[in-house]
Amino acid sequence: TPGHEAFTAMRARGAEVTDIVVLVVAADDGVMPQTVEAIDHAKAAEVPIVVAVNKIDKADADPTRVLQQLSEHGLVPEAWGGDTIVVEVSALQGLGIDDLLEQLTLVAEIEELRANPEGRARGAVLEANLEPGRGPVATVIVQNGTLRVGDPVVAGAAWGKVKALIDDHGDQVKEAGPAMPVQVLGFSEPPSAGDEFRVTADQSTARTIGETREHRYRVAGHAPSPTAPGAKLEDLFEQIQRGEAATLNLVLKADVQGTLEAITESLRKLERDEVRLSFVLRGVGGITENDVQLASASNATIIGFNVRPDRRARDLADDKDVEIRLYEVIYKLLEEIEAAMVGMLAPEFEEVVTGEAEVRAVFRVPRVGAVAGCYVRSGVITRGSKVRFLREGVVIWRGNITSLRRFKDDVREVQAGYECGIGLSDYQDLKEGDVIETFEEREIPRT
């Protein structure tokens, strides 16, 4: 089922470890941009697609329109002479579900999907997280062999011995065969989503492989890199004013690995040349005192997604003035961080011409110097405004208007169509025909 664009990697991973993709399309909504992306993932993984057109019980359901849209993206239904199986279903009323299961069985037979339940198990890690009282928990799907309690396993840099297997109903099981998803307890740390897991000959082999990989990841730079000296959200503006590129240090904690990965990638897309993101720590599980200590030492902001700080972590954060931002909706997280980053970007200004005056005569005034007798051709000339001095279209001087007069009176501004006397700061080389152009700098909203 397609979802937020941040979970692209999760969907791609799902397609990679799947034998048959069931693409769920709502009969009232039709094909959406994320649906197209899901189709692309399935095609890239070269797995057969069965389409389930859901919500056909709704009054505004239009299955024919859905078939038309699917055809436009290369999924031509069998009814239209193509080879894509399309089943109309209603999850709410249970309509068409038996037909869908029948079609999946048929596709499995045609594709000759086979796995050997004998031998050491191997498969893919779909998700991983830290659970209080249970430690690292990995959700895996067995693709070959049979996984049993007590087996030594390795996945990426994580290794361990299977302490318990929990099936999709929450019951403990002794073993899991091909195509069975289970939660595995006993890893040394949560493996990364998408890692391949394998059962090894013994636990020391699993440990050696895991520790070797961890070392290799660190050398290759996959491990968290030393952070640039950064500032918290509220301090970044000063850093930019000093003309420095700002770095926002973050400690990112999420409930599961897949979400952590999705949020990391989405935040990376928000980076600009002036504002860089540095992840001091990324991990799964609740926000702890160690996270707060690290954030304090590295001047980082803690971002929590679907996790909470414990009481001691909250107290320590108050004590050390560490900012903790908690979110439960990915849209909200990205919107707020983007808004903060746009606010942190050095302001951009554009120059807006406010007035233009032509020098008609030049007067020499004792103790003042040269004063330009001008005719205001357009806009408004205001005392104190910034000015460009043009001679034959070329800027020859920039400065400010120090004095502005109408006849003998000092005035604040002179409108177009009137004459006035203009005195410029530090500039005396005035000639008839020169143009004085006033302008102001306006801030452009950053996007």
Side-chain angles (χ1 to χ4, degrees):
T1 306
H4 191 277
E5 63 177 353
F7 298 100
T8 297
M10 209 181 273
R11 283 193 290 279
R13 191 162 54 246
E16 288 293 335
V17 300
T18 305
D19 296 312
I20 304 170
V21 165
V22 181
L23 182 70
V24 183
V25 185
D28 54 342
D29 283 344
V31 174
M32 296 292 189
Q34 260 86 24
T35 315
V36 178
E37 185 193 274
I39 292 170
D40 292 341
H41 288 319
K43 285 180 176 175
E46 297 181 346
V47 289
I49 302 171
V50 174
V51 179
V53 181
N54 190 26
K55 303 185 184 178
I56 57 160
D57 55 297
K58 292 187 73 171
D60 55 347
D62 189 354
T64 308
R65 182 173 69 100
V66 175
L67 299 186
Q68 177 65 43
Q69 292 174 325
L70 290 169
S71 300
E72 290 169 6
H73 291 95
L75 298 182
V76 183
E78 286 181 326
W80 291 14
D83 54 7
T84 302
I85 296 171
V86 178
V87 185
E88 294 184 7
V89 300
S90 165
L92 189 67
Q93 298 183 0
L95 300 174
I97 302 300
D98 290 341
D99 188 17
L100 178 61
L101 293 172
E102 210 173 284
Q103 295 294 346
L104 290 175
T105 308
L106 181 66
V107 174
E109 285 177 13
I110 294 169
E111 292 286 321
E112 294 186 347
L113 299 175
R114 298 280 183 273
N116 184 2
E118 302 301 322
R120 293 178 192 160
R122 66 174 178 80
V125 176
L126 300 178
E127 200 52 275
N129 63 320
L130 272 172
E131 288 190 17
R134 296 168 82 184
V137 177
T139 304
V140 307
I141 189 159
V142 181
Q143 292 172 311
N144 245 320
T146 301
L147 183 65
R148 296 180 175 85
V149 174
D151 281 349
V153 287
V154 63
W159 57 274
K161 180 180 176 181
V162 179
K163 291 179 183 172
L165 294 173
I166 298 160
D167 68 11
D168 54 326
H169 297 291
D171 300 325
Q172 289 208 17
V173 292
K174 293 292 182 189
E175 59 181 39
M180 186 169 174
V182 282
Q183 287 188 319
V184 179
L185 277 64
F187 277 106
S188 56
E189 60 183 83
S192 295
D195 280 346
E196 182 189 48
F197 84 85
R198 283 181 178 271
V199 170
T200 58
D202 50 55
Q203 197 167 340
S204 65
T205 304
R207 180 174 189 158
T208 304
I209 294 170
E211 290 178 347
T212 304
R213 283 176 178 170
E214 186 177 15
H215 175 70
R216 196 166 67 236
Y217 292 162
R218 191 170 286 130
V219 169
H222 293 302
S225 55
T227 56
K232 289 187 289 192
L233 287 173
E234 60 266 29
D235 301 333
L236 273 155
F237 188 64
E238 293 174 22
Q239 197 169 323
I240 294 165
Q241 283 187 319
R242 293 198 299 269
E244 301 170 17
T247 301
L248 175 60
N249 285 345
L250 294 177
V251 170
L252 182 59
K253 297 298 289 282
D255 52 346
V256 292
Q257 279 281 0
T259 308
L260 187 71
E261 169 191 71
I263 292 170
T264 303
E265 290 306 308
S266 297
L267 289 173
R268 283 261 178 246
K269 291 177 185 171
L270 302 180
E271 284 190 305
R272 305 286 186 278
D273 289 340
E274 307 102 310
V275 182
R276 311 301 297 175
L277 286 178
S278 176
F279 293 99
V280 180
L281 171 75
R282 296 184 306 121
V284 291
I287 297 165
T288 65
E289 287 178 279
N290 286 345
D291 299 330
V292 177
Q293 292 281 14
L294 187 59
S296 175
S298 56
N299 220 11
T301 301
I302 298 175
I303 304 290
F305 187 82
N306 272 347
V307 294
R308 312 291 298 176
D310 57 33
R311 186 180 55 78
R312 288 183 302 186
R314 203 181 283 276
D315 292 345
L316 186 63
D318 290 340
D319 185 47
K320 292 190 172 287
D321 194 27
V322 170
E323 185 178 10
I324 299 178
R325 288 171 167 256
L326 304 172
Y327 302 91
E328 291 179 0
V329 181
I330 194 163
Y331 295 96
K332 197 78 179 159
L333 185 156
L334 297 177
E335 275 174 15
E336 286 200 9
I337 298 299
E338 183 169 25
M341 289 182 70
V342 168
M344 293 177 317
L345 291 174
E348 259 186 20
F349 294 94
E350 63 178 348
E351 290 182 353
V352 178
V353 175
T354 54
E356 194 179 86
E358 182 187 344
V359 178
R360 297 272 175 95
V362 180
F363 307 101
R364 301 284 165 185
V365 180
R367 295 192 301 279
V368 174
V371 172
C374 300
Y375 173 76
V376 183
R377 297 198 300 204
S378 64
V380 181
I381 302 295
T382 310
R383 187 174 65 237
S385 60
K386 294 178 179 177
V387 65
R388 271 189 293 261
F389 203 74
L390 310 177
R391 185 167 292 162
E392 296 177 1
V394 178
V395 179
I396 58 172
W397 181 80
R398 286 171 178 257
N400 295 84
I401 292 177
T402 52
S403 65
L404 186 64
R405 289 192 166 195
R406 282 268 300 143
F407 302 110
K408 293 188 177 181
D409 299 327
D410 280 323
V411 290
R412 200 181 69 80
E413 62 179 37
V414 179
Q415 302 280 344
Y418 291 96
E419 294 181 333
C420 61
I422 297 176
L424 303 173
S425 59
D426 312 323
Y427 194 71
Q428 302 290 310
D429 181 22
L430 305 175
K431 292 183 182 177
E432 289 180 26
D434 290 343
V435 174
I436 293 172
E437 189 178 77
T438 60
F439 65 94
E440 62 182 40
E441 292 183 335
R442 290 181 190 162
E443 189 174 338
I444 307 169
R446 296 299 294 256
T447 57

